[in-house]
Amino acid sequence: MKISIRRSRRAAIAVALGSVLALTATACGDDGSGTGGDKGAEGSGKGKIVFWDNNGGVRTDIWKEIIADFEKANPDIKVEYVGIASTEYASKVDTAIQGGGLPDVGGVGASMIASIAAQNVLEPLGGRLSKSSLNGKLNEDMVKSLKAAGGRDDTLFSIPTSANNGVLYYRTDLFKKAGLDAPTTWEKFYDAADKLTNTGKNEFGYTIRGGAGSIAQALDASYGQSGITSFWDASGEKTTVNDPKNVAGLEKYAALYKKVTPAADLNNDFTKMVAQWDSGTIGMLNHNLGSYQDHVKALGVDKFRGIPQPTGPGGKRVQVSNPVDGLGLFKASKNKEAAWKFIEFANSHEESSKFNESAGQVPSNTDAAKDAWISKAEPTKLAADALSDGSTTIVQLPYYLPDWGTISKSDNEPNFQKVLLGKMSAKDFLDTLADQLNKAQAEWKEQKG
């Protein structure tokens, strides 16, 4: 019950603070830097807008190309680019909501929509989309995913740019040398992880994510092996994360640590994990389409493949990791017309294709998804096929819960490290996670009325 009280109090404080800041901005005359609740203005459609990239560094070059294209097509608008590392983005937005300084446009993916939208700082975009050249040109499943993640009665707060599906990358050269089949099933995955490991030679079969962002990958392994296809039971009140089948799957997965993985994996986030795989002799890596180009640069196209997650019971594939990314328009913007023009332009056929080819992701623009490069980028093609041919079931994570970010990061990433170290059982870990999720779900339902 302590968790419920703590979160309710935190939510109440956040709402109260947002209201105070909004009133202060209205009374004093806001300068456009933005605080929660500020209505902003449509503006002239000209001048400067500020864009925050939620994956700065990784995507900086391609965004600068798109901005250059936009400014050429719209010479009366200048875009100030601010690249922010994905691990720092949420806290940066939270700080700006409380103290001012929100951008006009920012990256707003499925995992963060609910927490931002709950603070009344995002502009609903359904009306703008219906009158836009993008209407009917965006992948409907991605649009639905972002609406659901927002948790606000089917309101669209972010225009999807791409889906970044989970991928199992494996070293084809190492598999061939060892006489192993592609790791298309969980049985083959575990067999390869074991046979490709020679700790004396610093050779490992797998690299496991133990640092930031570890929970979604751990759940991917749990649900992938159990075959459970829903995050909630039939009542919609109790999560399935601690189902005995998921517990068994996580036990087997976590047991890989230090047995067939480097010890450094305990603290590795995705950047360190990817760099380690690209520069070392490790058989397999679970990440997503976003790192495809990094692997191409490091290994060339002949030494690795990226395939959908392994299949589980009955040959079925179950995944939780297909996050949808997008662009949101902040209410405090004093130039919403120009900001919307940028969002619309970035998701046009040519620019969507350009961005997603660089990122190796599945485009939201349906015309871009038909372009020739999709067939040439095998992981992207296989991911797109898996999402559309009925072979894959996606377990939707509860991004709509305002507490999802806290539960899946600060509350439980340290606990997952304890599981890897053998200091906490997989059952205790998942039971703790389930208890927090069930309380958060009950609170959300109560608040929703």
Side-chain angles (χ1 to χ4, degrees), residues 22-23 114 130 146 148 161 169 194 200 204 215 242 256 264 297 307 326 329 350 380 386 388 395 419 422 425-426 438:
L23 289 171
S130 67
L146 290 184
T161 56
Y169 293 104
D194 181 59
F204 300 95
I215 303 303
N242 60 336
L256 295 174
K297 291 176 184 177
I307 61 175
L329 172 57
E350 183 178 348
T380 304
S388 61
V395 176
V419 175
S425 71
N438 292 339

Side-chain angles (χ1 to χ4, degrees), residues 206 208-211 214 217-218 250-259 261-268 413-426 429:
Y206 184 60
I208 197 169
R209 188 167 183 168
S214 61
Q217 191 171 98
L250 187 62
E251 285 175 343
K252 191 171 183 179
Y253 182 72
L256 295 174
Y257 176 63
K258 285 185 74 174
K259 181 181 177 184
T261 79
D265 282 356
L266 182 69
N267 297 303
N268 279 357
E413 284 180 352
N415 282 346
F416 183 63
Q417 290 181 321
K418 291 179 182 178
V419 175
L420 295 180
L421 292 170
K423 296 180 179 180
M424 186 178 197
S425 71
F429 168 74

Side-chain angles (χ1 to χ4, degrees), residues 286-310:
N286 269 121
H287 190 229
N288 55 49
L289 293 167
S291 60
Y292 173 66
Q293 293 296 340
D294 294 324
H295 308 321
V296 171
K297 291 176 184 177
L299 302 170
V301 295
D302 297 326
K303 290 185 178 180
F304 80 98
R305 285 186 72 202
I307 61 175
Q309 295 286 66

